[in-house]
Amino acid sequence: MADARRNASRVSLSADAVAAIREAVGDAGRRDRPGIAKRLAAQLGVSAATIYRAADLGGRSRKRAARHPEYRDWVRIAVRIAHEAPKRMALEDAIASGVLAGSLPPEARQMPLASAHRVARELGLSVRRKRRHRISADYPMQALLSDGSTSEVLTVAEDLGGGDWLLAIHRNPWPASGYKNKPLGPDRMRVVTYAIWDMCTGYARFSYTVARGENAIDHAEALCTMLSPTGDPARPLHGVPDDLWLDQGPLFKSAATRNLLRELDIAAIRGEAYAKERMGGVERQWRSLWHRFERTLFLRDEPTIRLSELRQRLEHFEAAQMATWMSRTPVAGRPATRAAAWIALTNARPADNRLRRLPDDPIRTVVQEVHRTVDDCGIFGWGSVQYEVQGLHGQRVLCKRALDGTDRVIAIDATGVAHTAHRWTPRPYGEIRSAPKTPLEHLLDEDAPAAADPWAAAPAAGNVLAMPVRTDPPAPLVDPLAAADRCRDLDEAVALFVDTAGLAVWTQMSEATRERVRERIGDDGLDRSAVVDLALQISAAACGEAQ
């Protein structure tokens, strides 16, 4: 009776009216209640909401005692079993496992699966909680995140030669798998993008390339390009990072690229499986590149674009965004753009921890390594190519080959001595092997080398005054293809020639002949044996002319 009075005072209805409303509405079914409430509201001159409040049919659901309180304990045990896998297993499988192991009673199999999922939601166990921590660095280039991906809308249309490609803009959406439902270019080429992201400031840089897919060498070349100075004050990021965060992609798996990172003194940090949040910084940059840069390509009149033009557009996009987006780390307590913060925080680094510059052309230190056996003729094969090395007949050697297209190969014997290997080519049929042409005769038969204008006009310098960044000189790199039978440089090779042929012979030679000798030595790859043979031949020829 007290409850009826409280409801009557709240809705301005008498106790008898509230009792009549509860009797009429409470006994009706759920589907009939709206019609009864509307009829009573018209009779009493109130709203339908007032009828529902008087009958206590609105607001929160009335709680009742659980019919099966044991479900809560069963679901907790089942959810705990389901999380034994890296990704949560099906709840019904976890229940079956618990019954078989004795953790759950046999009656748990009779529990409705829908009720089990409802209880898990009520207990807050239906969604796996994730620990979210904001990763950060103390100064720029302390840690970089690097990753590779394919373009969202660009496809390869044609090879234009000279390293340039014609790219087409494709409109198909992404599928669940495959090459994003886009056609493949010549030789199954596709547009691949590599990116780096500075953990301190959030500075990001991208690089487009065309390849058959992500590979270690392309990623290493793109990384060295993005870490090299641009000469543009609006794009200041450069240098050698302390740590490089990578996923389990080709750059980390390749032994050649790991050696490159080791030579540059960069610590490679690999991501763990099922922990993609740690690479969230660079993953966020992919969305910016695809949504803000690539989708604007549809505003162009032409449906195609050159790779060189695309890279120029990307440079403008990078400069504009890094000059607008705010840095993750403030400068002296004040917000700053990512480009400005990168310069300011880099210059604020102490003298014993200055930014290191990237050495010139570091990709040349990346080599391939294989073990081969040299036959009795001094020849071994590598990749359908035969190489000849002297003095290593019938030995097991470690071969190293450069990846810069120069086909430089060395063979390291068991004692650790490196020897230069040359491509082996058989002599033409009919050639007299006992008297081949001398190196000097080959040298004189060659055409004169091309010459360039030494006074060509240099490009005009820009009118933008760049803020200098204090850096330390780069650390010298060890040439992994240095051989014991090769001179270090041309000066050492010429000195060996003069010592062998004699100073008198060298002084009697004309300046044009000396220049041809230098070119011949360079064409022979600074090989010591070739230098000695050439010196002995010229010395013998000079003695014959003197007699």
Side-chain angles (χ1 to χ4, degrees), residues 33-114:
R33 287 176 182 176
I36 296 175
K38 184 177 180 180
R39 177 173 54 80
L40 292 176
Q43 292 176 357
L44 298 176
V46 295
S47 64
T50 302
I51 301 300
Y52 274 89
R53 285 195 300 268
D56 281 341
L57 298 179
R60 297 181 178 179
S61 301
R62 289 173 294 177
K63 295 182 178 180
R64 60 176 175 82
R67 296 179 182 177
H68 300 282
E70 65 275 14
Y71 282 5
R72 300 173 67 89
D73 296 332
W74 294 353
V75 169
R76 290 178 61 87
I77 297 174
V79 171
R80 182 63 186 85
I81 296 175
H83 281 277
E84 289 298 322
K87 288 188 176 181
R88 175 175 169 173
M89 68 179 68
L91 194 58
E92 55 267 35
D93 295 337
I95 294 174
S97 174
V99 172
L100 292 176
S103 301
L104 293 173
E107 295 79 10
R109 285 183 177 271
Q110 307 301 325
M111 178 175 53
L113 186 60

Coordinates of all heavy atoms in Angstrom, one line a residue, residues 33-114:
R33 N 0.2 -5.0 -24.1 CA 0.4 -3.9 -23.1 C 0.3 -2.5 -23.8 O -0.2 -1.6 -23.3 CB 1.7 -4.0 -22.4 CG 1.6 -5.1 -21.3 CD 3.0 -5.3 -20.6 NE 2.9 -6.4 -19.7 CZ 4.0 -6.8 -19.0 NH1 5.2 -6.3 -19.2 NH2 3.9 -7.8 -18.2
P34 N 1.0 -2.3 -25.0 CA 0.9 -0.9 -25.6 C -0.5 -0.5 -25.8 O -0.9 0.7 -25.6 CB 1.7 -1.1 -26.9 CG 2.7 -2.2 -26.6 CD 1.9 -3.2 -25.7
G35 N -1.4 -1.4 -26.4 CA -2.8 -1.0 -26.6 C -3.5 -0.7 -25.4 O -4.3 0.3 -25.3
I36 N -3.3 -1.5 -24.3 CA -4.0 -1.2 -23.0 C -3.6 0.1 -22.4 O -4.4 0.9 -21.9 CB -3.8 -2.4 -22.1 CG1 -4.5 -3.7 -22.7 CG2 -4.4 -2.1 -20.7 CD1 -4.2 -4.9 -21.9
A37 N -2.2 0.3 -22.5 CA -1.7 1.6 -21.9 C -2.3 2.8 -22.6 O -2.6 3.8 -22.0 CB -0.2 1.6 -21.9
K38 N -2.4 2.7 -24.0 CA -2.9 3.8 -24.7 C -4.4 4.1 -24.4 O -4.8 5.2 -24.2 CB -2.8 3.5 -26.2 CG -3.2 4.6 -27.1 CD -3.0 4.3 -28.6 CE -3.4 5.4 -29.5 NZ -3.2 5.1 -30.9
R39 N -5.2 3.0 -24.2 CA -6.6 3.1 -23.8 C -6.8 3.7 -22.4 O -7.6 4.6 -22.2 CB -7.3 1.8 -23.9 CG -8.8 1.8 -23.5 CD -9.4 0.5 -23.8 NE -8.7 -0.6 -23.2 CZ -8.8 -1.0 -21.9 NH1 -9.6 -0.3 -21.1 NH2 -8.1 -2.0 -21.4
L40 N -6.0 3.3 -21.5 CA -6.1 3.8 -20.1 C -5.6 5.3 -20.1 O -6.2 6.1 -19.3 CB -5.2 3.0 -19.2 CG -5.7 1.5 -18.9 CD1 -4.7 0.8 -18.0 CD2 -7.1 1.6 -18.3
A41 N -4.6 5.6 -20.9 CA -4.1 7.0 -20.9 C -5.2 7.9 -21.4 O -5.4 9.0 -20.9 CB -2.9 7.1 -21.7
A42 N -6.0 7.5 -22.4 CA -7.1 8.3 -22.9 C -8.2 8.5 -21.9 O -8.8 9.6 -21.8 CB -7.6 7.7 -24.2
Q43 N -8.5 7.4 -21.1 CA -9.6 7.5 -20.1 C -9.2 8.4 -19.0 O -10.0 9.1 -18.4 CB -9.9 6.1 -19.6 CG -10.5 5.2 -20.7 CD -10.8 3.8 -20.2 OE1 -10.4 3.4 -19.0 NE2 -11.4 2.9 -21.0
L44 N -8.0 8.3 -18.5 CA -7.5 9.1 -17.3 C -7.0 10.4 -17.7 O -6.6 11.2 -16.8 CB -6.5 8.3 -16.6 CG -6.9 6.9 -16.0 CD1 -5.8 6.2 -15.4 CD2 -8.1 7.1 -15.0
G45 N -6.7 10.7 -19.0 CA -6.2 12.0 -19.4 C -4.8 12.2 -19.1 O -4.3 13.4 -18.8
V46 N -4.0 11.2 -19.1 CA -2.5 11.3 -18.9 C -1.9 10.6 -20.2 O -2.5 10.1 -21.1 CB -2.1 10.6 -17.6 CG1 -2.7 11.3 -16.4 CG2 -2.6 9.1 -17.7
S47 N -0.5 10.7 -20.1 CA 0.2 10.1 -21.2 C 0.5 8.6 -21.0 O 0.3 8.1 -19.9 CB 1.6 10.8 -21.4 OG 2.4 10.6 -20.2
A48 N 0.8 7.9 -22.1 CA 1.1 6.5 -22.0 C 2.3 6.3 -21.1 O 2.4 5.2 -20.4 CB 1.4 5.9 -23.4
A49 N 3.3 7.2 -21.1 CA 4.5 7.0 -20.2 C 4.1 7.0 -18.8 O 4.6 6.3 -17.9 CB 5.5 8.1 -20.5
T50 N 3.0 7.8 -18.4 CA 2.6 7.9 -17.0 C 2.0 6.5 -16.6 O 2.1 6.1 -15.5 CB 1.5 9.0 -16.9 OG1 2.1 10.2 -17.2 CG2 1.0 9.1 -15.4
I51 N 1.2 5.9 -17.6 CA 0.7 4.6 -17.3 C 1.8 3.6 -17.0 O 1.7 2.8 -16.1 CB -0.2 4.2 -18.5 CG1 -1.4 5.2 -18.7 CG2 -0.8 2.8 -18.2 CD1 -2.3 5.4 -17.5
Y52 N 2.8 3.6 -17.9 CA 3.9 2.7 -17.7 C 4.6 2.9 -16.4 O 5.1 2.0 -15.7 CB 4.9 2.8 -18.8 CG 4.5 1.9 -20.0 CD1 3.7 2.4 -21.0 CD2 5.0 0.6 -20.1 CE1 3.4 1.6 -22.1 CE2 4.6 -0.2 -21.2 CZ 3.8 0.3 -22.2 OH 3.4 -0.5 -23.3
R53 N 4.8 4.2 -16.0 CA 5.5 4.5 -14.7 C 4.6 4.0 -13.5 O 5.1 3.5 -12.5 CB 5.8 5.9 -14.6 CG 7.0 6.4 -15.4 CD 7.4 7.8 -15.0 NE 6.4 8.8 -15.1 CZ 6.2 9.6 -16.2 NH1 7.0 9.4 -17.2 NH2 5.3 10.5 -16.2
A54 N 3.3 4.2 -13.6 CA 2.4 3.8 -12.5 C 2.4 2.3 -12.4 O 2.3 1.7 -11.3 CB 1.0 4.3 -12.8
A55 N 2.6 1.5 -13.5 CA 2.6 0.1 -13.5 C 4.0 -0.5 -13.2 O 4.2 -1.7 -13.2 CB 2.0 -0.5 -14.7
D56 N 5.0 0.4 -13.1 CA 6.4 -0.1 -12.9 C 6.9 -1.0 -14.1 O 7.5 -2.0 -13.9 CB 6.6 -0.8 -11.6 CG 6.7 0.1 -10.4 OD1 7.0 1.3 -10.7 OD2 6.5 -0.3 -9.3
L57 N 6.5 -0.6 -15.3 CA 6.9 -1.3 -16.5 C 8.1 -0.7 -17.3 O 8.6 -1.3 -18.2 CB 5.7 -1.5 -17.5 CG 4.5 -2.3 -16.9 CD1 3.4 -2.3 -17.9 CD2 4.9 -3.7 -16.5
G58 N 8.5 0.5 -16.9 CA 9.6 1.2 -17.6 C 10.8 1.1 -16.8 O 10.9 0.6 -15.7
G59 N 11.9 1.8 -17.3 CA 13.2 1.9 -16.6 C 13.9 0.6 -16.7 O 13.8 -0.2 -17.6
R60 N 14.7 0.3 -15.7 CA 15.5 -0.9 -15.6 C 14.7 -2.1 -15.5 O 13.6 -2.1 -14.9 CB 16.5 -0.8 -14.5 CG 17.5 0.3 -14.6 CD 18.5 0.3 -13.5 NE 19.5 1.4 -13.6 CZ 20.5 1.6 -12.7 NH1 20.5 0.9 -11.6 NH2 21.3 2.6 -12.9
S61 N 15.2 -3.2 -16.0 CA 14.5 -4.5 -15.9 C 14.5 -5.0 -14.5 O 15.5 -4.8 -13.7 CB 15.2 -5.6 -16.8 OG 15.2 -5.1 -18.1
R62 N 13.4 -5.6 -14.1 CA 13.3 -6.1 -12.8 C 14.2 -7.3 -12.6 O 14.2 -8.2 -13.4 CB 11.8 -6.5 -12.5 CG 10.9 -5.3 -12.3 CD 9.5 -5.7 -12.2 NE 9.0 -6.3 -13.4 CZ 7.8 -6.9 -13.6 NH1 7.0 -6.9 -12.6 NH2 7.5 -7.4 -14.7
K63 N 15.0 -7.3 -11.6 CA 15.9 -8.4 -11.3 C 15.2 -9.6 -10.7 O 14.3 -9.4 -9.8 CB 17.1 -8.0 -10.5 CG 18.0 -6.9 -11.1 CD 19.1 -6.5 -10.2 CE 20.0 -5.5 -10.9 NZ 21.2 -5.1 -10.0
R64 N 15.6 -10.7 -11.1 CA 15.0 -11.9 -10.5 C 16.2 -12.9 -10.1 O 17.3 -12.7 -10.7 CB 14.0 -12.6 -11.4 CG 14.6 -13.0 -12.7 CD 13.6 -13.8 -13.6 NE 14.1 -14.1 -14.9 CZ 14.9 -15.1 -15.2 NH1 15.3 -15.9 -14.2 NH2 15.3 -15.3 -16.4
A65 N 15.9 -13.8 -9.3 CA 17.0 -14.8 -8.9 C 17.3 -15.6 -10.1 O 16.5 -16.0 -10.9 CB 16.5 -15.6 -7.7
A66 N 18.6 -15.9 -10.3 CA 19.1 -16.8 -11.4 C 18.6 -18.2 -11.2 O 18.6 -18.8 -10.1 CB 20.6 -16.8 -11.4
R67 N 18.1 -18.7 -12.3 CA 17.6 -20.1 -12.2 C 18.7 -21.1 -12.1 O 18.5 -22.2 -11.5 CB 16.8 -20.4 -13.5 CG 15.5 -19.5 -13.6 CD 14.8 -19.9 -14.9 NE 13.6 -19.0 -15.1 CZ 12.8 -19.1 -16.1 NH1 13.0 -19.9 -17.1 NH2 11.7 -18.3 -16.2
H68 N 19.9 -20.8 -12.7 CA 21.0 -21.7 -12.7 C 22.3 -20.9 -12.3 O 23.1 -20.5 -13.1 CB 21.3 -22.3 -14.1 CG 20.1 -23.1 -14.6 ND1 19.9 -24.4 -14.1 CD2 19.1 -22.8 -15.5 CE1 18.8 -24.9 -14.7 NE2 18.3 -23.9 -15.5
P69 N 22.4 -20.6 -11.0 CA 23.6 -19.8 -10.5 C 24.9 -20.5 -10.8 O 26.0 -19.9 -10.8 CB 23.3 -19.7 -9.0 CG 22.4 -20.8 -8.7 CD 21.5 -21.0 -9.9
E70 N 24.9 -21.8 -11.0 CA 26.1 -22.5 -11.2 C 26.7 -22.2 -12.6 O 27.9 -22.5 -12.9 CB 25.9 -24.1 -11.2 CG 25.0 -24.6 -12.2 CD 23.5 -24.5 -11.8 OE1 23.2 -23.8 -10.9 OE2 22.7 -25.2 -12.5
Y71 N 25.9 -21.6 -13.5 CA 26.4 -21.3 -14.8 C 27.6 -20.3 -14.7 O 28.5 -20.3 -15.6 CB 25.3 -20.6 -15.7 CG 24.3 -21.6 -16.3 CD1 24.4 -23.0 -16.0 CD2 23.3 -21.2 -17.1 CE1 23.5 -23.9 -16.5 CE2 22.4 -22.1 -17.7 CZ 22.5 -23.5 -17.3 OH 21.6 -24.4 -17.9
R72 N 27.5 -19.4 -13.8 CA 28.6 -18.4 -13.7 C 29.9 -19.0 -13.4 O 30.9 -18.7 -14.0 CB 28.2 -17.4 -12.6 CG 26.9 -16.6 -12.8 CD 26.5 -15.8 -11.6 NE 27.4 -14.7 -11.4 CZ 27.3 -13.5 -12.0 NH1 26.3 -13.2 -12.8 NH2 28.2 -12.5 -11.7
D73 N 29.9 -20.0 -12.5 CA 31.2 -20.6 -12.2 C 31.7 -21.5 -13.4 O 32.9 -21.6 -13.7 CB 31.1 -21.5 -10.9 CG 30.8 -20.7 -9.7 OD1 31.2 -19.5 -9.7 OD2 30.1 -21.2 -8.8
W74 N 30.7 -22.1 -14.0 CA 31.1 -23.0 -15.2 C 31.7 -22.1 -16.3 O 32.7 -22.5 -16.9 CB 29.9 -23.7 -15.7 CG 29.4 -24.8 -14.7 CD1 29.9 -25.1 -13.5 CD2 28.2 -25.5 -14.8 NE1 29.2 -26.1 -12.9 CE2 28.1 -26.3 -13.7 CE3 27.1 -25.6 -15.8 CZ2 27.0 -27.2 -13.5 CZ3 26.1 -26.4 -15.6 CH2 26.0 -27.2 -14.4
V75 N 31.1 -21.0 -16.6 CA 31.5 -20.1 -17.7 C 32.9 -19.6 -17.3 O 33.8 -19.5 -18.2 CB 30.5 -19.0 -17.9 CG1 31.1 -17.9 -18.9 CG2 29.3 -19.6 -18.5
R76 N 33.2 -19.2 -16.1 CA 34.5 -18.7 -15.7 C 35.6 -19.7 -16.0 O 36.6 -19.4 -16.5 CB 34.5 -18.3 -14.3 CG 33.7 -17.0 -14.0 CD 33.7 -16.7 -12.5 NE 35.1 -16.5 -12.0 CZ 35.7 -15.3 -12.1 NH1 35.0 -14.2 -12.5 NH2 36.9 -15.1 -11.7
I77 N 35.3 -21.0 -15.6 CA 36.3 -22.0 -15.9 C 36.5 -22.3 -17.4 O 37.6 -22.4 -17.9 CB 35.8 -23.3 -15.2 CG1 35.8 -23.1 -13.7 CG2 36.8 -24.5 -15.5 CD1 35.3 -24.3 -12.9
A78 N 35.4 -22.3 -18.1 CA 35.5 -22.5 -19.6 C 36.2 -21.4 -20.3 O 37.0 -21.6 -21.2 CB 34.1 -22.6 -20.2
V79 N 36.0 -20.1 -19.9 CA 36.7 -19.0 -20.5 C 38.2 -19.1 -20.2 O 39.0 -18.8 -21.1 CB 36.1 -17.7 -20.1 CG1 36.9 -16.5 -20.5 CG2 34.7 -17.5 -20.6
R80 N 38.5 -19.5 -19.0 CA 39.9 -19.6 -18.7 C 40.6 -20.7 -19.5 O 41.7 -20.5 -20.0 CB 40.1 -20.0 -17.2 CG 41.5 -20.1 -16.8 CD 42.2 -18.7 -16.9 NE 43.7 -18.8 -16.6 CZ 44.6 -19.2 -17.5 NH1 44.2 -19.5 -18.8 NH2 45.9 -19.3 -17.2
I81 N 39.9 -21.8 -19.8 CA 40.4 -22.9 -20.6 C 40.6 -22.4 -22.1 O 41.5 -22.7 -22.8 CB 39.6 -24.1 -20.5 CG1 39.6 -24.7 -19.1 CG2 40.0 -25.2 -21.6 CD1 38.7 -25.9 -18.9
A82 N 39.6 -21.6 -22.5 CA 39.6 -21.1 -23.9 C 40.8 -20.2 -24.2 O 41.2 -20.1 -25.3 CB 38.3 -20.3 -24.2
H83 N 41.3 -19.6 -23.2 CA 42.5 -18.7 -23.4 C 43.8 -19.4 -23.3 O 44.9 -18.7 -23.2 CB 42.4 -17.5 -22.4 CG 41.4 -16.4 -22.8 ND1 41.7 -15.4 -23.7 CD2 40.1 -16.3 -22.4 CE1 40.7 -14.7 -23.8 NE2 39.7 -15.1 -23.1
E84 N 43.8 -20.7 -23.2 CA 45.1 -21.4 -23.3 C 45.8 -21.3 -24.7 O 47.0 -21.4 -24.8 CB 44.9 -22.9 -22.9 CG 44.5 -23.1 -21.5 CD 45.7 -22.7 -20.5 OE1 46.8 -22.9 -20.9 OE2 45.4 -22.1 -19.5
A85 N 45.0 -21.0 -25.7 CA 45.5 -20.8 -27.0 C 45.9 -19.4 -27.2 O 45.4 -18.5 -26.5 CB 44.5 -21.2 -28.1
P86 N 46.8 -19.1 -28.2 CA 47.2 -17.7 -28.4 C 46.0 -16.8 -28.8 O 45.9 -15.7 -28.4 CB 48.2 -17.8 -29.6 CG 48.7 -19.1 -29.5 CD 47.6 -20.0 -29.0
K87 N 45.1 -17.4 -29.6 CA 43.8 -16.7 -29.9 C 42.7 -17.6 -29.3 O 42.7 -18.8 -29.4 CB 43.6 -16.6 -31.4 CG 44.5 -15.5 -32.0 CD 44.1 -15.3 -33.5 CE 44.9 -14.2 -34.0 NZ 44.6 -13.9 -35.5
R88 N 41.7 -16.9 -28.7 CA 40.7 -17.6 -27.9 C 40.0 -18.7 -28.7 O 39.5 -18.4 -29.8 CB 39.7 -16.6 -27.3 CG 38.6 -17.2 -26.6 CD 37.7 -16.2 -26.0 NE 36.4 -16.7 -25.5 CZ 35.6 -16.0 -24.8 NH1 35.8 -14.7 -24.5 NH2 34.5 -16.5 -24.3
M89 N 39.9 -19.9 -28.2 CA 39.2 -21.0 -28.9 C 37.7 -20.9 -28.6 O 37.3 -20.1 -27.8 CB 39.8 -22.4 -28.4 CG 39.4 -22.7 -26.9 SD 40.0 -24.3 -26.4 CE 41.8 -24.0 -26.4
A90 N 37.0 -21.7 -29.3 CA 35.5 -21.7 -29.2 C 35.1 -22.1 -27.8 O 35.7 -23.0 -27.2 CB 34.9 -22.6 -30.3
L91 N 34.1 -21.5 -27.3 CA 33.6 -21.7 -25.9 C 33.1 -23.1 -25.8 O 33.3 -23.8 -24.7 CB 32.6 -20.7 -25.5 CG 32.2 -20.6 -24.1 CD1 33.5 -20.3 -23.2 CD2 31.1 -19.6 -23.8
E92 N 32.4 -23.7 -26.8 CA 31.9 -25.0 -26.7 C 33.0 -26.1 -26.6 O 32.9 -27.1 -25.9 CB 31.0 -25.4 -27.9 CG 31.6 -25.1 -29.2 CD 31.3 -23.8 -29.8 OE1 31.2 -22.8 -29.0 OE2 31.1 -23.6 -31.0
D93 N 34.2 -25.8 -27.3 CA 35.3 -26.7 -27.2 C 35.9 -26.6 -25.9 O 36.4 -27.6 -25.3 CB 36.3 -26.3 -28.3 CG 35.8 -26.5 -29.7 OD1 34.9 -27.4 -29.9 OD2 36.3 -25.9 -30.7
A94 N 36.0 -25.4 -25.3 CA 36.5 -25.3 -23.9 C 35.7 -26.0 -22.9 O 36.2 -26.6 -22.0 CB 36.7 -23.8 -23.6
I95 N 34.3 -26.0 -23.1 CA 33.5 -26.7 -22.1 C 33.7 -28.2 -22.3 O 33.8 -28.9 -21.2 CB 32.0 -26.3 -22.4 CG1 31.8 -24.8 -22.1 CG2 31.0 -27.2 -21.6 CD1 30.4 -24.3 -22.5
A96 N 33.8 -28.7 -23.5 CA 34.0 -30.1 -23.7 C 35.4 -30.5 -23.1 O 35.5 -31.6 -22.5 CB 34.0 -30.5 -25.2
S97 N 36.4 -29.7 -23.2 CA 37.7 -30.0 -22.7 C 37.6 -30.0 -21.2 O 38.2 -30.9 -20.5 CB 38.7 -28.9 -23.2 OG 40.0 -29.1 -22.5
G98 N 36.9 -29.0 -20.6 CA 36.8 -29.0 -19.1 C 36.1 -30.2 -18.5 O 36.5 -30.8 -17.5
V99 N 35.0 -30.7 -19.3 CA 34.3 -31.9 -18.8 C 35.2 -33.1 -18.9 O 35.3 -34.0 -18.0 CB 33.0 -32.1 -19.6 CG1 32.4 -33.4 -19.3 CG2 32.1 -30.9 -19.4
L100 N 36.0 -33.3 -20.0 CA 36.9 -34.4 -20.1 C 38.0 -34.4 -19.1 O 38.4 -35.5 -18.6 CB 37.5 -34.5 -21.5 CG 36.5 -34.7 -22.7 CD1 37.2 -34.6 -24.0 CD2 35.9 -36.1 -22.5
A101 N 38.5 -33.2 -18.7 CA 39.6 -33.1 -17.8 C 39.1 -33.1 -16.3 O 39.9 -33.2 -15.4 CB 40.4 -31.8 -18.0
G102 N 37.8 -33.0 -16.1 CA 37.3 -33.1 -14.7 C 37.1 -31.7 -14.1 O 36.7 -31.6 -12.9
S103 N 37.5 -30.6 -14.9 CA 37.4 -29.3 -14.3 C 35.9 -28.8 -14.2 O 35.6 -28.0 -13.4 CB 38.2 -28.3 -15.2 OG 39.5 -28.6 -15.2
L104 N 35.1 -29.4 -15.1 CA 33.6 -29.1 -15.1 C 32.9 -30.4 -14.9 O 33.3 -31.5 -15.4 CB 33.3 -28.4 -16.5 CG 33.8 -27.0 -16.7 CD1 33.5 -26.6 -18.1 CD2 33.3 -26.0 -15.7
P105 N 31.7 -30.3 -14.3 CA 30.8 -31.5 -14.2 C 30.2 -31.9 -15.5 O 30.1 -31.1 -16.4 CB 29.8 -31.0 -13.1 CG 29.7 -29.5 -13.3 CD 31.1 -29.1 -13.7
P106 N 29.8 -33.1 -15.6 CA 29.1 -33.5 -16.9 C 27.9 -32.7 -17.2 O 27.5 -32.6 -18.4 CB 28.8 -35.0 -16.6 CG 29.8 -35.4 -15.5 CD 30.0 -34.2 -14.7
E107 N 27.2 -32.1 -16.2 CA 26.0 -31.3 -16.5 C 26.3 -30.1 -17.3 O 25.4 -29.5 -17.9 CB 25.3 -31.0 -15.2 CG 24.8 -32.1 -14.4 CD 25.8 -32.9 -13.6 OE1 27.0 -32.4 -13.5 OE2 25.5 -33.9 -13.1
A108 N 27.6 -29.7 -17.3 CA 28.0 -28.5 -18.1 C 27.7 -28.6 -19.5 O 27.5 -27.6 -20.3 CB 29.4 -28.1 -17.8
R109 N 27.7 -29.9 -20.0 CA 27.5 -30.1 -21.4 C 26.0 -29.7 -21.8 O 25.7 -29.5 -22.9 CB 27.8 -31.5 -21.8 CG 29.2 -31.9 -21.9 CD 29.4 -33.3 -22.4 NE 30.8 -33.7 -22.6 CZ 31.4 -33.5 -23.8 NH1 30.8 -33.0 -24.8 NH2 32.7 -33.9 -23.9
Q110 N 25.1 -29.8 -20.8 CA 23.7 -29.5 -21.0 C 23.4 -28.0 -21.0 O 22.3 -27.6 -21.2 CB 22.8 -30.2 -20.0 CG 23.1 -31.7 -19.9 CD 22.8 -32.4 -21.2 OE1 21.9 -32.0 -22.0 NE2 23.6 -33.5 -21.5
M111 N 24.4 -27.2 -20.6 CA 24.2 -25.8 -20.5 C 24.0 -25.2 -21.9 O 24.9 -25.5 -22.8 CB 25.4 -25.1 -19.8 CG 25.3 -23.6 -19.7 SD 26.6 -22.8 -18.8 CE 28.1 -23.5 -19.6
P112 N 23.0 -24.5 -22.2 CA 22.8 -23.9 -23.6 C 24.0 -23.0 -23.9 O 24.4 -22.2 -23.1 CB 21.5 -23.1 -23.5 CG 20.7 -23.7 -22.3 CD 21.8 -24.2 -21.4
L113 N 24.4 -23.1 -25.2 CA 25.6 -22.3 -25.6 C 25.3 -20.8 -25.6 O 26.1 -20.0 -25.2 CB 26.0 -22.7 -27.0 CG 27.3 -22.1 -27.5 CD1 28.5 -22.4 -26.6 CD2 27.6 -22.6 -28.9
A114 N 24.0 -20.5 -26.0 CA 23.6 -19.0 -25.9 C 23.7 -18.5 -24.5 O 24.1 -17.4 -24.3 CB 22.3 -18.9 -26.5

